[in-house]
């Protein structure tokens, strides 16, 4: 299983890097055509989309994933996938109709400015198209078609970039152009998915299979909503207690910090379906623990890189009025990763104890709600960032504790704790370097030394053993080194 995870993680990860790499070119575009207030409105619309993805289709994609591996007969698989597709189309169709009819009232409630009404309507259309697109895209994961997943992800990002450049730069449509670009990209990518999956979906609809999928996925909806509160309540708290401009500054910091999730997207896409297929194998827990150690080593280094060089990255990709958001990256990058690292603790999903997931996420949401209510009025965007970190930490540790009771993984906690302590120290020293007013060359040199120090520590702590590094280099050399003779 470990080799399959590494192979597919490489493909999924490359797809994520390429698609996010194209998306990063949207930041200079967005920050030049959108004011911080406009960017705050855009961030709230994307947040509304995240909420809809959790609630509208009742997480049926997760139900499809859980039942797909247990369904062997092709006809039954077609009925299973088709049922999930048509249910998703129906639910998002209802969402689209209601959203367009109530757009004036919802726009006033969420964005608070009548000038954003057209952008809000386009945003509702994008959310509906994007919900169907994600169901289709994830189907490549359940079928273990990592290359098709990578291709479609890249095309989606490319279309978003091309459409955004056309509507924002050439036609000067502002926020409406941004939302129209994303609507068209999601729609075109959904059509491409349908063509590539033409043997998977049909016109079948099975009520019994729908009920079976919803029995698994429906309890995940309140859990997903609680996760949403944990990660996204800060935007609404900032909008309520401060302004859309503050939402925009927080949003730009979150976008840079979100680059840290590139480290987990490939593993996340590859690991879950393979764990469902191999969790009964005796060697699987040790393999997951080994993979977790590797991931921690790379994740800590990636988060520290973003924290140390956030100012330099924003200098390249944003205008000076967004620079305040750079300081948040050191807090938000590990927070966003923690919220996704539950994949390394699969006990709850394996045991189908989705009700336990609900309690974990409710606890995390409660922490987020209280922390945002107390800290945002006092510290503004810093209060929102600290609240996110606290909620993510509570979520991951609670999930891990429960999962270990159901499916034990032998993690290397001592090495993780040592490397984490070094990460915190390096991040604090990096903040001091930024405040010291040093020349750019000297600041870059000192930050590079801090990053190198962490890399040495993760190897010394045993998270990334030298033997594993050598084996990985040998495999990469065999895979990509010598080309066959023609």
């Amino acid at each position: 299983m470990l080799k399959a995870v590494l192979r597919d993680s490489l493909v999924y990860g490359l797809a994520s890097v390429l698609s996010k790499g194209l998306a990063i070119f949207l930041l200079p575009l967005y920050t030049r055509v959108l004011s911080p207030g406009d960017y705050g409105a855009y961030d709230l619309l994307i947040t509304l989309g995240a909420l809809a993805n959790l609630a509208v289709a009742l997480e049926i994609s997760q139900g499809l994933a859980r039942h797909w591996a247990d369904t062997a007969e092709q006809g039954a698989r077609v009925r299973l996938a088709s049922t999930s597709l048509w249910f998703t189309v129906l639910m998002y169709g209802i969402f689209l109709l209601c959203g367009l009819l109530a757009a004036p009232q919802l726009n006033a409630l969420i964005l608070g400015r009548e000038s954003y009404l057209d952008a809000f309507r386009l945003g509702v259309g994008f959310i509906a198209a994007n919900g169907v697109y994600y169901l289709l895209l994830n189907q490549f994961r359940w079928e273990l078609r990592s290359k098709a997943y990578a291709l479609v992800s890249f095309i989606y990002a490319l279309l978003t970039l091309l459409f955004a450049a056309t509507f924002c730069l050439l036609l000067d449509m502002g926020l409406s152009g941004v939302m129209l670009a994303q609507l068209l990209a999601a729609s075109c990518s959904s059509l491409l998915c349908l063509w590539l999956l033409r043997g998977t979906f049909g016109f079948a609809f099975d009520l019994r299979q729908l009920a079976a999928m919803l029995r698994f996925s429906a309890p995940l909806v309140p859990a997903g909503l609680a996760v949403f509160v944990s990660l996204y309540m800060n935007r609404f708290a900032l909008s309520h207690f401060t302004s859309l401009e503050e939402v925009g500054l927080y949003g730009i910091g979150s976008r840079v910090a979100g680059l840290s999730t590139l480290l987990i997207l490939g593993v996340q896409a590859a690991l879950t379906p393979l764990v469902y297929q191999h969790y009964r194998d005796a060697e699987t827990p040790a393999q997951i623990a080994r993979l977790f150690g590797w991931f921690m080593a790379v994740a800590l280094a990636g988060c520290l890189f973003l924290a140390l060089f956030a100012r330099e990255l924003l200098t390249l990709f944003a205008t000076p009025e967004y620079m305040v958001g750079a300081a948040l990256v050191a807090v938000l990058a590990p927070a966003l990763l923690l919220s996704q690292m539950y994949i390394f603790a699969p006990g709850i999903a394996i045991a189908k104890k989705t009700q336990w997931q609900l309690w974990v996420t409710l606890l995390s949401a409660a922490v987020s709600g209280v922390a945002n209510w107390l800290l945002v009025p006092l510290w503004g965007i810093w209060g929102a960032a600290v609240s996110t970190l606290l909620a993510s930490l509570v979520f991951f540790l609670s999930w891990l504790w429960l999962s270990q009771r159901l499916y034990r993984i032998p993690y290397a906690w001592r090495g993780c704790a040592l490397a984490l302590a070094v990460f915190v120290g390096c991040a604090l020293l990096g903040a001091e370097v930024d405040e010291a007013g040093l020349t750019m060359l000297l600041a870059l040199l000192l930050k590079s030394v801090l990053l190198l120090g962490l890399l040495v520590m993760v190897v010394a702590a045993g998270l990334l053993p030298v033997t594993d590094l050598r084996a990985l280099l040998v495999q990469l050399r065999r895979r990509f080194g010598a080309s066959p003779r023609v």
Side-chain angles (χ1 to χ4, degrees):
M1 187 194 79
L2 190 58
K3 290 183 178 180
V5 170
L6 292 175
R7 182 194 65 236
D8 289 348
S9 295
L10 183 62
V11 177
Y12 288 126
L14 182 60
S16 299
V17 169
L18 290 175
S19 60
K20 295 290 184 179
L22 286 175
I24 200 68
F25 287 106
L26 292 171
L27 279 181
L29 174 62
Y30 288 171
T31 56
R32 282 161 176 78
V33 301
L34 303 178
S35 67
D38 292 340
Y39 195 89
Y42 164 75
D43 203 56
L44 284 178
L45 287 172
I46 296 301
T47 301
L48 180 62
L51 174 61
N53 285 340
L54 292 170
V56 171
L58 302 179
E59 289 275 48
I60 197 170
S61 177
Q62 297 300 317
L64 173 61
R66 187 63 187 90
H67 287 276
W68 182 265
D70 295 335
T71 304
E73 198 266 320
Q74 180 61 23
R77 282 189 162 187
V78 170
R79 289 193 301 274
L80 188 73
S82 301
T83 299
S84 68
L85 173 61
W86 293 117
F87 178 78
T88 300
V89 170
L90 173 64
M91 297 302 288
Y92 274 105
I94 295 172
F95 168 84
L96 179 61
L97 178 62
C98 294
L100 292 177
L101 290 175
Q105 294 80 12
L106 292 173
N107 175 67
L109 176 65
I110 297 172
L111 302 184
R113 299 178 186 177
E114 188 177 353
S115 58
Y116 291 141
L117 181 56
D118 289 340
F120 185 88
R121 290 190 174 111
L122 290 169
V124 170
F126 158 68
I127 291 169
N130 201 55
V132 176
Y133 164 69
Y134 273 122
L135 174 87
L136 296 169
L137 181 67
N138 280 323
Q139 183 60 33
F140 294 119
R141 293 173 58 198
W142 319 143
E143 297 183 12
L144 305 181
R145 296 171 61 183
S146 55
K147 293 180 180 178
Y149 181 100
L151 174 65
V152 174
S153 299
F154 177 76
I155 290 176
Y156 175 80
L158 181 61
L159 289 175
T160 302
L161 178 62
L162 293 176
F163 285 136
T166 300
F167 298 137
C168 295
L169 293 180
L170 298 182
L171 302 180
D172 194 23
M173 294 177 63
L175 181 59
S176 294
V178 170
M179 301 317 302
L180 178 58
Q182 299 207 325
L183 167 60
L184 291 176
S187 300
C188 294
S189 299
S190 295
L191 293 175
L192 176 60
C193 287
L194 284 172
W195 183 74
L196 293 173
L197 294 165
R198 56 191 179 275
T200 299
F201 296 103
F203 293 99
F205 192 88
D206 191 317
L207 288 176
R208 286 184 298 177
Q209 288 186 326
L210 175 63
M213 286 187 285
L214 291 179
R215 276 195 298 271
F216 178 86
S217 68
L220 301 177
V221 174
L225 293 176
V227 171
F228 173 86
V229 170
S230 301
L231 295 178
Y232 295 103
M233 175 182 276
N234 41 51
R235 269 81 165 180
F236 297 104
L238 286 169
S239 179
H240 176 73
F241 289 115
T242 58
S243 65
L244 277 179
E245 284 71 22
E246 291 285 287
V247 178
L249 293 175
Y250 181 90
I252 202 71
S254 182
R255 290 290 183 278
V256 175
L259 293 175
S260 65
T261 60
L262 290 175
L263 301 171
I264 201 170
L265 289 178
V267 180
Q268 189 176 43
L271 182 61
T272 301
L274 288 170
V275 166
Y276 284 156
Q277 293 186 18
H278 296 283
Y279 69 89
R280 296 181 183 89
D281 299 344
E283 66 274 11
T284 295
Q287 291 179 339
I288 294 175
R290 191 178 179 189
L291 187 64
F292 179 76
W294 295 350
F295 174 78
M296 282 293 295
V298 176
L300 288 173
C303 288
L304 184 61
F305 172 83
L306 292 175
L308 293 176
F309 298 101
R311 289 178 180 269
E312 289 77 9
L313 290 172
L314 278 184
T315 299
L316 292 174
F317 295 115
T319 56
E321 57 187 339
Y322 287 93
M323 201 58 60
V324 176
L328 303 177
V329 175
V331 177
L332 290 177
L336 294 176
L337 264 185
L338 279 171
S339 69
Q340 302 296 318
M341 284 169 54
Y342 64 90
I343 63 170
F344 294 103
I348 294 176
I350 288 173
K352 300 182 181 179
K353 299 287 186 179
T354 50
Q355 68 274 16
W356 289 22
Q357 178 176 343
L358 173 60
W359 292 112
V360 171
T361 51
L362 286 176
L363 175 61
S364 175
V367 171
S368 177
V370 172
N372 275 287
W373 182 63
L374 292 175
L375 299 181
V376 169
L378 293 176
W379 299 341
I381 55 178
W382 274 105
V386 172
S387 299
T388 302
L389 178 59
L390 289 174
S392 296
L393 188 61
V394 169
F395 170 78
F396 176 68
L397 292 179
S398 301
W399 184 290
L400 187 66
W401 180 72
L402 289 172
S403 178
Q404 286 290 80
R405 298 178 62 184
L406 299 170
Y407 190 79
R408 188 166 185 81
I409 307 292
Y411 304 105
W413 289 123
R414 183 175 299 178
C416 291
L418 180 60
L420 182 60
V422 174
F423 166 81
V424 173
C426 290
L428 292 175
L429 289 173
E432 292 296 325
V433 170
D434 281 331
E435 296 297 326
L438 303 175
T439 63
M440 179 177 290
L441 182 60
L442 181 57
L444 290 175
L445 178 62
L446 291 175
K447 291 178 180 181
S448 299
V449 171
L450 291 173
L451 182 60
L452 180 61
L454 179 66
L455 291 173
V456 171
M457 179 53 62
V458 297
V459 175
L463 296 181
L464 197 60
V466 175
T467 54
D468 288 344
L469 284 173
R470 290 174 179 170
L472 180 61
L473 290 175
V474 169
Q475 289 182 3
L476 291 176
R477 189 180 299 118
R478 289 175 178 174
R479 188 176 181 85
F480 301 108
S483 301
R485 295 182 179 179
V486 180

